[in-house]
Amino acid sequence: MRDVLLNLMLRALESGVADYVLTPSRGPGGTFPWILVNDVRLLDRAEPFPPVMYVQGAKALASFARSPFGGKVLAVMRPCEARAAVELSKLDQVTMQNVYFLTMDCPGAVPVKSYRNGDFTEPDPGEPESLRPLCRQCTHFTGAGDLFLALHGGPPVFRPVTGSGRELLETLGMETGEDRAEWVEWRDALLRHRKEARKRGMEDMRRSYTGLGGLARLYGGCISCRNCRTVCPICYCRLCFIDMKDRRSPASDHLHRSGERGGDRLPGGTLLFHMGRMAHMSLSCVSCGMCEDACPSDIPVGRMVSMVSEKTAAVFGYEAGRDTEEPLPLNTFEPDELHEYED
Amino acid sequence: MTVGKRIGVFVCACGPNIADVLDIERVAGEIGKLDGVILSETFGLLCSPDGRKHLVSRIRGNDLHRVVIAACSPRDHETTFMKVCEEADLNPFMMEMVNIREHVAWVTPDRDAATEKAVRLVRGAVRRTMRHEPLEKMKIVCNPDTVVIGGGLAGMTTAILLAEAGRQVTLIEKSDSPGGFLSGDRRVAEPARTVSSGKKGIKMLLNTQPEEIVGFFGNFVLSAGNMEIKAGAVVLATGCIATENGGFAPAEDFGRLAELLRLPLDDEGFPEREHASLSPLATPIEGVYVTGCAGGPCFPEEAVARSEAVAGAILSSLVPGRELETEPRTSVISETLCRGCKTCLEVCTYGAISFDAEKLVCGVNGVLCRGCGNCAAACPSGAIRSRHFTPDQLRYQVEGLLR
């Protein structure tokens, strides 16, 4: 399956359909850095199916494609990465112009920790135990981007999603017919299974961390490293609200609190940070799980944000990463809405 | 500029309005104990001439740097007390009003609860005022020109009357000739000749429709094609059409025009008025008038009468040389923090924010900004500050309220 993807990258570059390919590669010491390939000889290094996620693909893309550029890019990434790019484009942090997104039936990823310890098996949707917790309950494992590689129900085959994906395949003289029945069957079965897993997972979270006490317990182990924010593809602010000088509490605050309650936990703002992040980015959360994978304290931050995201998005009938034309709910003024929350 | 911290607090009895419901002496007494408050006292009716004189002398006599006035709604008397401050040589933005009438006396009947609530509200204001900074109002000279949209009988009449009084008028007509509904009728022949002649200060733009309108009374900027038309007042003379069921509706493109102006419409799609009988041709947006059938169907003679009235209203309010004070409580965007996501652009209802495509950041036009704070609240990067509503000021106010 790697060969099939490599072959398409090669043909895209040689035919001029794309001038550059953005793909994870095999780096030194078993790492998988993103590379922007122009020379076909470098494609040998490409590894479109790394077992782990080091840097979210949308973040790699946004690192150079903030504003329109010359030349066409074929970005090969996982569905959650392409969906994060959709969200970033709505926030003007990445341009979708001249970028083709090629995704695949995503096998999922294993936790970075297991990978580094050599304690892992190649990701396989059929063996969820090896996958990261959010991958186990991922319901958007296929069909993202402009086109994707269908791996199941027969030999690997490229499938168009958007008009430009179809065009790309046609230009390269490839079939764009119907989805094959075996693949549809595979997808539906896995989707059922994943929805079930997600439901169970969310029920677990709710049971374990209800109320302010529950949240305090959940985030109690937070060491304030802010890894979750750093690796998040959606967190794009230059300076996070939590780090702003005028949002930091003055000494009098802490002294007062200490006086009122007998003591004050320091540094403060742990819950505020996590709640603030949720308020700021949960609507655009694509449940990629980067935050949770990066947490040195093993806090299920990703599952929490993902659960909150599902609920907040449902209020607006919104789905992160679905469509570049779907406006961000918080940027859209509707004079007549949400009456159920009045009074 | 550093300003001292001598705070004076004045609690208004508002006749019996406030004093009957809560213990204003206790409020003044409690507040007098706070750090920085060097005087805290009550008065019968602060907005009265005597009250205003009293305030000026107390502010001057005690060298107050900051003032808190606990009285009625700022909507009633903020301007009054800001003027008092100016008279006393105190920057008006060093004053904070607390509404202990509508927010306390009129809604909290229990005397103790009302008094405690008032104390907290005033304490919040005292703490907020500690963080106030003087702001300077800028003055811009209003633009005495008018732009008239719609070249029918009503629009032409308005334009001609204004031009006869020596004003510059831009008349915008979407079709290729003036006349409107009465085109070809002898009653519009003479005005059509006049507006087409190019004389008398009327500039007519045919085949033109406004694409963007920003600004406010005295300072509108209308874009059409590649042109930018500046005017102090906007007149809507876009006519109406008969509907299939025998009624009338505004002209086809009127909805779009109303959207550009953010003009509220009634159920039939005609613009709302400032007051149905007292101000029937002024819209709720200051400086935007409606004439002829754009305000509802009428006969030609009525259209002319409406246009005369609108021209009169403009001539008397939009006087050349009149100065307008700009709002200093505006938003500012930090270029360093802005990520250019344009969220602020979406929520700004005044068209005051633009995107700098080279720097990839947004910026605020201080003259157009009305300081509503929408953008500051919406900015996910915290790159926008609302002057006079800074996080610091709000934080201390809330703190004072809660503790």
Side-chain angles (χ1 to χ4, degrees), chain B residues 150-204:
Chain B
L153 178 62
M156 291 191 293
T157 306
T158 315
I160 292 167
L161 284 169
L162 287 168
E164 276 171 356
R167 299 299 179 89
Q168 299 293 318
V169 183
T170 307
L171 181 61
I172 298 181
E173 166 57 39
K174 70 173 173 182
S175 75
D176 55 10
S177 65
F181 179 73
L182 293 174
S183 271
D185 190 298
R186 64 183 167 79
R187 281 171 292 184
V188 294
E190 176 61 27
R193 252 195 311 280
T194 310
V195 297
S196 307
S197 66
K199 286 180 212 155
K200 292 182 121 184
I202 299 174
K203 184 179 173 192
M204 187 167 57

Short mmCIF file of all heavy atoms in Angstrom, two decimals, chain B residues 150-204:
data_model
loop_
_atom_site.label_atom_id
_atom_site.label_comp_id
_atom_site.label_asym_id
_atom_site.label_seq_id
_atom_site.Cartn_x
_atom_site.Cartn_y
_atom_site.Cartn_z
N GLY B 150 -31.04 57.13 -5.55
CA GLY B 150 -32.30 57.04 -6.27
C GLY B 150 -32.58 58.35 -6.98
O GLY B 150 -32.68 59.40 -6.34
N GLY B 151 -32.68 58.30 -8.32
CA GLY B 151 -32.83 59.53 -9.10
C GLY B 151 -34.23 59.75 -9.62
O GLY B 151 -34.42 60.24 -10.72
N GLY B 152 -35.24 59.38 -8.82
CA GLY B 152 -36.62 59.66 -9.20
C GLY B 152 -37.00 61.07 -8.77
O GLY B 152 -36.13 61.87 -8.40
N LEU B 153 -38.31 61.36 -8.79
CA LEU B 153 -38.78 62.70 -8.44
C LEU B 153 -38.29 63.11 -7.04
O LEU B 153 -37.78 64.21 -6.85
CB LEU B 153 -40.32 62.75 -8.51
CG LEU B 153 -40.95 64.08 -8.12
CD1 LEU B 153 -40.51 65.21 -9.04
CD2 LEU B 153 -42.47 63.97 -8.09
N ALA B 154 -38.43 62.19 -6.07
CA ALA B 154 -38.08 62.52 -4.69
C ALA B 154 -36.58 62.78 -4.55
O ALA B 154 -36.16 63.77 -3.96
CB ALA B 154 -38.51 61.38 -3.77
N GLY B 155 -35.78 61.89 -5.13
CA GLY B 155 -34.33 62.03 -5.03
C GLY B 155 -33.85 63.31 -5.70
O GLY B 155 -33.04 64.05 -5.14
N MET B 156 -34.41 63.58 -6.88
CA MET B 156 -33.99 64.78 -7.62
C MET B 156 -34.38 66.03 -6.85
O MET B 156 -33.60 66.98 -6.75
CB MET B 156 -34.62 64.79 -9.02
CG MET B 156 -34.06 63.70 -9.92
SD MET B 156 -34.56 63.92 -11.65
CE MET B 156 -36.33 63.65 -11.56
N THR B 157 -35.60 66.05 -6.30
CA THR B 157 -36.07 67.22 -5.56
C THR B 157 -35.15 67.50 -4.37
O THR B 157 -34.73 68.63 -4.14
CB THR B 157 -37.51 66.99 -5.06
OG1 THR B 157 -38.31 66.65 -6.18
CG2 THR B 157 -38.06 68.23 -4.39
N THR B 158 -34.83 66.44 -3.61
CA THR B 158 -33.95 66.60 -2.45
C THR B 158 -32.62 67.18 -2.90
O THR B 158 -32.09 68.12 -2.31
CB THR B 158 -33.73 65.24 -1.75
OG1 THR B 158 -34.97 64.57 -1.62
CG2 THR B 158 -33.09 65.43 -0.38
N ALA B 159 -32.05 66.59 -3.96
CA ALA B 159 -30.74 67.00 -4.43
C ALA B 159 -30.75 68.47 -4.86
O ALA B 159 -29.85 69.24 -4.51
CB ALA B 159 -30.30 66.11 -5.59
N ILE B 160 -31.79 68.84 -5.59
CA ILE B 160 -31.85 70.22 -6.10
C ILE B 160 -31.98 71.22 -4.95
O ILE B 160 -31.29 72.24 -4.91
CB ILE B 160 -33.02 70.37 -7.11
CG1 ILE B 160 -32.70 69.56 -8.37
CG2 ILE B 160 -33.28 71.84 -7.44
CD1 ILE B 160 -33.88 69.37 -9.30
N LEU B 161 -32.85 70.90 -3.98
CA LEU B 161 -33.03 71.81 -2.84
C LEU B 161 -31.73 72.00 -2.07
O LEU B 161 -31.38 73.11 -1.69
CB LEU B 161 -34.11 71.25 -1.90
CG LEU B 161 -35.55 71.43 -2.39
CD1 LEU B 161 -36.49 70.61 -1.52
CD2 LEU B 161 -35.93 72.91 -2.39
N LEU B 162 -31.02 70.90 -1.85
CA LEU B 162 -29.75 70.98 -1.09
C LEU B 162 -28.73 71.78 -1.89
O LEU B 162 -28.00 72.61 -1.34
CB LEU B 162 -29.22 69.59 -0.78
CG LEU B 162 -29.99 68.82 0.30
CD1 LEU B 162 -29.57 67.36 0.34
CD2 LEU B 162 -29.77 69.47 1.67
N ALA B 163 -28.70 71.53 -3.20
CA ALA B 163 -27.72 72.23 -4.05
C ALA B 163 -28.03 73.73 -4.10
O ALA B 163 -27.13 74.56 -4.09
CB ALA B 163 -27.72 71.63 -5.44
N GLU B 164 -29.31 74.05 -4.13
CA GLU B 164 -29.69 75.46 -4.14
C GLU B 164 -29.22 76.18 -2.88
O GLU B 164 -28.95 77.38 -2.89
CB GLU B 164 -31.21 75.61 -4.28
CG GLU B 164 -31.64 75.56 -5.74
CD GLU B 164 -33.16 75.48 -5.90
OE1 GLU B 164 -33.86 75.39 -4.86
OE2 GLU B 164 -33.62 75.50 -7.05
N ALA B 165 -29.13 75.42 -1.78
CA ALA B 165 -28.64 76.00 -0.53
C ALA B 165 -27.11 75.98 -0.47
O ALA B 165 -26.53 76.26 0.57
CB ALA B 165 -29.23 75.25 0.65
N GLY B 166 -26.49 75.61 -1.57
CA GLY B 166 -25.03 75.67 -1.64
C GLY B 166 -24.33 74.39 -1.23
O GLY B 166 -23.11 74.37 -1.06
N ARG B 167 -25.08 73.30 -1.06
CA ARG B 167 -24.44 72.05 -0.65
C ARG B 167 -24.02 71.20 -1.86
O ARG B 167 -24.65 71.27 -2.91
CB ARG B 167 -25.42 71.22 0.21
CG ARG B 167 -25.84 71.90 1.48
CD ARG B 167 -24.67 72.20 2.39
NE ARG B 167 -25.13 72.87 3.60
CZ ARG B 167 -25.52 72.23 4.69
NH1 ARG B 167 -25.53 70.92 4.72
NH2 ARG B 167 -25.89 72.91 5.75
N GLN B 168 -23.00 70.40 -1.65
CA GLN B 168 -22.59 69.43 -2.67
C GLN B 168 -23.43 68.17 -2.51
O GLN B 168 -23.57 67.65 -1.40
CB GLN B 168 -21.12 69.07 -2.51
CG GLN B 168 -20.16 70.24 -2.66
CD GLN B 168 -20.14 70.77 -4.09
OE1 GLN B 168 -20.15 70.00 -5.04
NE2 GLN B 168 -20.15 72.09 -4.22
N VAL B 169 -23.96 67.68 -3.61
CA VAL B 169 -24.79 66.48 -3.55
C VAL B 169 -24.32 65.48 -4.60
O VAL B 169 -24.04 65.86 -5.73
CB VAL B 169 -26.28 66.80 -3.81
CG1 VAL B 169 -27.12 65.54 -3.66
CG2 VAL B 169 -26.78 67.89 -2.87
N THR B 170 -24.22 64.23 -4.21
CA THR B 170 -23.99 63.18 -5.19
C THR B 170 -25.30 62.41 -5.33
O THR B 170 -25.85 61.93 -4.34
CB THR B 170 -22.88 62.22 -4.73
OG1 THR B 170 -21.73 63.00 -4.40
CG2 THR B 170 -22.52 61.22 -5.82
N LEU B 171 -25.79 62.33 -6.54
CA LEU B 171 -27.05 61.64 -6.81
C LEU B 171 -26.72 60.33 -7.54
O LEU B 171 -26.16 60.34 -8.62
CB LEU B 171 -27.96 62.54 -7.66
CG LEU B 171 -29.34 62.01 -8.03
CD1 LEU B 171 -30.18 61.74 -6.79
CD2 LEU B 171 -30.06 63.00 -8.94
N ILE B 172 -27.10 59.23 -6.91
CA ILE B 172 -26.77 57.93 -7.50
C ILE B 172 -28.03 57.29 -8.09
O ILE B 172 -29.04 57.17 -7.41
CB ILE B 172 -26.19 56.99 -6.41
CG1 ILE B 172 -24.89 57.59 -5.87
CG2 ILE B 172 -25.93 55.60 -6.95
CD1 ILE B 172 -24.24 56.72 -4.83
N GLU B 173 -27.94 56.91 -9.32
CA GLU B 173 -29.10 56.32 -10.00
C GLU B 173 -28.66 55.00 -10.64
O GLU B 173 -27.64 54.94 -11.30
CB GLU B 173 -29.65 57.30 -11.05
CG GLU B 173 -30.63 56.73 -12.06
CD GLU B 173 -31.87 56.09 -11.44
OE1 GLU B 173 -32.40 56.63 -10.44
OE2 GLU B 173 -32.30 55.03 -11.93
N LYS B 174 -29.44 53.94 -10.40
CA LYS B 174 -28.99 52.63 -10.90
C LYS B 174 -29.23 52.46 -12.41
O LYS B 174 -28.54 51.70 -13.07
CB LYS B 174 -29.64 51.49 -10.12
CG LYS B 174 -31.11 51.31 -10.35
CD LYS B 174 -31.61 50.05 -9.65
CE LYS B 174 -33.12 49.95 -9.75
NZ LYS B 174 -33.65 48.80 -9.04
N SER B 175 -30.22 53.19 -12.95
CA SER B 175 -30.48 53.03 -14.38
C SER B 175 -29.64 54.04 -15.18
O SER B 175 -28.83 54.75 -14.61
CB SER B 175 -31.97 53.25 -14.68
OG SER B 175 -32.27 54.63 -14.62
N ASP B 176 -29.89 54.12 -16.50
CA ASP B 176 -29.03 54.99 -17.30
C ASP B 176 -29.57 56.40 -17.48
O ASP B 176 -29.02 57.19 -18.24
CB ASP B 176 -28.71 54.33 -18.65
CG ASP B 176 -29.97 53.95 -19.38
OD1 ASP B 176 -31.06 54.38 -18.92
OD2 ASP B 176 -29.89 53.24 -20.39
N SER B 177 -30.70 56.70 -16.79
CA SER B 177 -31.18 58.08 -16.85
C SER B 177 -32.00 58.40 -15.60
O SER B 177 -32.58 57.51 -14.99
CB SER B 177 -32.05 58.28 -18.11
OG SER B 177 -33.21 57.48 -17.99
N PRO B 178 -32.08 59.71 -15.23
CA PRO B 178 -32.89 60.07 -14.07
C PRO B 178 -34.36 60.06 -14.43
O PRO B 178 -34.71 60.05 -15.60
CB PRO B 178 -32.40 61.48 -13.73
CG PRO B 178 -31.93 62.04 -15.03
CD PRO B 178 -31.41 60.87 -15.83
N GLY B 179 -35.23 60.07 -13.42
CA GLY B 179 -36.67 60.10 -13.68
C GLY B 179 -37.43 59.10 -12.85
O GLY B 179 -38.53 59.35 -12.38
N GLY B 180 -36.84 57.94 -12.67
CA GLY B 180 -37.45 56.91 -11.83
C GLY B 180 -38.79 56.46 -12.36
O GLY B 180 -38.98 56.33 -13.57
N PHE B 181 -39.76 56.27 -11.46
CA PHE B 181 -41.08 55.75 -11.81
C PHE B 181 -41.79 56.66 -12.81
O PHE B 181 -42.54 56.20 -13.67
CB PHE B 181 -41.91 55.61 -10.52
CG PHE B 181 -43.29 55.10 -10.74
CD1 PHE B 181 -43.51 53.77 -11.06
CD2 PHE B 181 -44.39 55.95 -10.64
CE1 PHE B 181 -44.78 53.29 -11.27
CE2 PHE B 181 -45.68 55.48 -10.85
CZ PHE B 181 -45.87 54.14 -11.16
N LEU B 182 -41.53 57.96 -12.70
CA LEU B 182 -42.22 58.93 -13.57
C LEU B 182 -41.43 59.24 -14.85
O LEU B 182 -41.74 60.21 -15.54
CB LEU B 182 -42.49 60.22 -12.82
CG LEU B 182 -43.50 60.15 -11.66
CD1 LEU B 182 -43.55 61.48 -10.93
CD2 LEU B 182 -44.89 59.78 -12.17
N SER B 183 -40.42 58.45 -15.16
CA SER B 183 -39.61 58.69 -16.36
C SER B 183 -40.49 58.97 -17.57
O SER B 183 -41.45 58.23 -17.83
CB SER B 183 -38.75 57.45 -16.66
OG SER B 183 -37.54 57.55 -15.98
N GLY B 184 -40.19 60.04 -18.29
CA GLY B 184 -40.97 60.36 -19.47
C GLY B 184 -42.11 61.30 -19.17
O GLY B 184 -42.63 61.99 -20.05
N ASP B 185 -42.55 61.35 -17.90
CA ASP B 185 -43.64 62.23 -17.49
C ASP B 185 -43.13 63.67 -17.49
O ASP B 185 -41.98 63.93 -17.09
CB ASP B 185 -44.10 61.82 -16.09
CG ASP B 185 -45.37 62.51 -15.67
OD1 ASP B 185 -45.37 63.78 -15.58
OD2 ASP B 185 -46.37 61.80 -15.43
N ARG B 186 -43.98 64.62 -17.93
CA ARG B 186 -43.48 65.99 -18.02
C ARG B 186 -43.14 66.59 -16.65
O ARG B 186 -42.37 67.52 -16.53
CB ARG B 186 -44.47 66.88 -18.78
CG ARG B 186 -45.80 67.03 -18.11
CD ARG B 186 -46.78 67.85 -18.93
NE ARG B 186 -48.11 67.70 -18.37
CZ ARG B 186 -48.51 68.36 -17.28
NH1 ARG B 186 -47.72 69.20 -16.68
NH2 ARG B 186 -49.74 68.18 -16.81
N ARG B 187 -43.73 65.98 -15.58
CA ARG B 187 -43.47 66.52 -14.25
C ARG B 187 -42.01 66.34 -13.81
O ARG B 187 -41.53 67.00 -12.92
CB ARG B 187 -44.40 65.88 -13.22
CG ARG B 187 -45.80 66.45 -13.22
CD ARG B 187 -46.74 65.66 -12.35
NE ARG B 187 -46.97 64.33 -12.91
CZ ARG B 187 -47.81 63.45 -12.38
NH1 ARG B 187 -48.45 63.73 -11.26
NH2 ARG B 187 -48.00 62.28 -12.95
N VAL B 188 -41.31 65.35 -14.42
CA VAL B 188 -39.92 65.15 -14.02
C VAL B 188 -38.94 65.71 -15.05
O VAL B 188 -37.73 65.65 -14.86
CB VAL B 188 -39.59 63.66 -13.75
CG1 VAL B 188 -40.37 63.16 -12.55
CG2 VAL B 188 -39.81 62.82 -14.98
N ALA B 189 -39.46 66.25 -16.14
CA ALA B 189 -38.56 66.73 -17.21
C ALA B 189 -37.63 67.82 -16.71
O ALA B 189 -36.41 67.78 -16.92
CB ALA B 189 -39.41 67.23 -18.39
N GLU B 190 -38.20 68.81 -16.00
CA GLU B 190 -37.41 69.95 -15.54
C GLU B 190 -36.35 69.51 -14.51
O GLU B 190 -35.16 69.79 -14.70
CB GLU B 190 -38.36 71.03 -14.98
CG GLU B 190 -37.68 72.24 -14.39
CD GLU B 190 -36.83 73.00 -15.41
OE1 GLU B 190 -37.14 72.93 -16.60
OE2 GLU B 190 -35.83 73.63 -14.99
N PRO B 191 -36.76 68.82 -13.44
CA PRO B 191 -35.73 68.37 -12.48
C PRO B 191 -34.68 67.48 -13.14
O PRO B 191 -33.49 67.58 -12.81
CB PRO B 191 -36.51 67.60 -11.41
CG PRO B 191 -37.94 67.63 -11.80
CD PRO B 191 -38.12 68.55 -12.95
N ALA B 192 -35.09 66.64 -14.09
CA ALA B 192 -34.12 65.75 -14.73
C ALA B 192 -33.08 66.55 -15.50
O ALA B 192 -31.89 66.22 -15.50
CB ALA B 192 -34.84 64.77 -15.67
N ARG B 193 -33.57 67.65 -16.14
CA ARG B 193 -32.63 68.50 -16.86
C ARG B 193 -31.64 69.13 -15.87
O ARG B 193 -30.44 69.18 -16.11
CB ARG B 193 -33.39 69.60 -17.62
CG ARG B 193 -33.40 69.39 -19.14
CD ARG B 193 -33.83 70.65 -19.90
NE ARG B 193 -35.05 71.28 -19.41
CZ ARG B 193 -36.28 70.86 -19.70
NH1 ARG B 193 -36.46 69.82 -20.49
NH2 ARG B 193 -37.33 71.49 -19.21
N THR B 194 -32.19 69.60 -14.73
CA THR B 194 -31.34 70.28 -13.75
C THR B 194 -30.26 69.35 -13.21
O THR B 194 -29.08 69.72 -13.13
CB THR B 194 -32.20 70.79 -12.57
OG1 THR B 194 -33.30 71.50 -13.08
CG2 THR B 194 -31.39 71.67 -11.63
N VAL B 195 -30.65 68.13 -12.81
CA VAL B 195 -29.65 67.25 -12.21
C VAL B 195 -28.65 66.75 -13.24
O VAL B 195 -27.54 66.37 -12.91
CB VAL B 195 -30.29 66.04 -11.45
CG1 VAL B 195 -31.12 66.53 -10.29
CG2 VAL B 195 -31.09 65.16 -12.38
N SER B 196 -29.09 66.73 -14.52
CA SER B 196 -28.18 66.26 -15.56
C SER B 196 -27.22 67.34 -16.04
O SER B 196 -26.22 67.05 -16.69
CB SER B 196 -28.97 65.76 -16.78
OG SER B 196 -29.92 64.80 -16.37
N SER B 197 -27.56 68.61 -15.70
CA SER B 197 -26.79 69.72 -16.26
C SER B 197 -25.37 69.78 -15.71
O SER B 197 -24.50 70.40 -16.30
CB SER B 197 -27.50 71.04 -15.97
OG SER B 197 -27.47 71.26 -14.57
N GLY B 198 -25.14 69.16 -14.57
CA GLY B 198 -23.80 69.17 -13.99
C GLY B 198 -23.52 70.45 -13.22
O GLY B 198 -22.48 70.60 -12.61
N LYS B 199 -24.48 71.37 -13.26
CA LYS B 199 -24.29 72.62 -12.54
C LYS B 199 -24.81 72.48 -11.11
O LYS B 199 -25.26 71.42 -10.69
CB LYS B 199 -25.06 73.75 -13.23
CG LYS B 199 -24.41 74.21 -14.53
CD LYS B 199 -25.26 75.33 -15.12
CE LYS B 199 -25.17 75.30 -16.65
NZ LYS B 199 -26.34 75.91 -17.26
N LYS B 200 -24.77 73.53 -10.39
CA LYS B 200 -25.44 73.65 -9.10
C LYS B 200 -24.97 72.64 -8.06
O LYS B 200 -25.71 72.27 -7.16
CB LYS B 200 -26.94 73.48 -9.28
CG LYS B 200 -27.57 74.64 -10.06
CD LYS B 200 -29.04 74.44 -10.16
CE LYS B 200 -29.81 75.59 -9.53
NZ LYS B 200 -31.23 75.43 -9.50
N GLY B 201 -23.74 72.17 -8.17
CA GLY B 201 -23.21 71.31 -7.11
C GLY B 201 -23.78 69.91 -7.08
O GLY B 201 -23.61 69.20 -6.10
N ILE B 202 -24.50 69.51 -8.14
CA ILE B 202 -25.01 68.13 -8.14
C ILE B 202 -24.15 67.26 -9.06
O ILE B 202 -23.94 67.59 -10.23
CB ILE B 202 -26.47 68.08 -8.65
CG1 ILE B 202 -27.37 68.90 -7.72
CG2 ILE B 202 -26.95 66.63 -8.70
CD1 ILE B 202 -28.78 69.03 -8.22
N LYS B 203 -23.66 66.19 -8.51
CA LYS B 203 -22.89 65.26 -9.32
C LYS B 203 -23.77 64.02 -9.46
O LYS B 203 -24.15 63.41 -8.46
CB LYS B 203 -21.59 64.92 -8.59
CG LYS B 203 -20.68 64.02 -9.39
CD LYS B 203 -19.40 63.76 -8.61
CE LYS B 203 -18.56 62.74 -9.31
NZ LYS B 203 -17.49 62.27 -8.43
N MET B 204 -24.11 63.68 -10.70
CA MET B 204 -24.98 62.53 -10.87
C MET B 204 -24.17 61.34 -11.39
O MET B 204 -23.36 61.46 -12.30
CB MET B 204 -26.11 62.85 -11.85
CG MET B 204 -27.12 61.70 -11.90
SD MET B 204 -28.64 62.16 -12.71
CE MET B 204 -28.03 62.69 -14.27
#
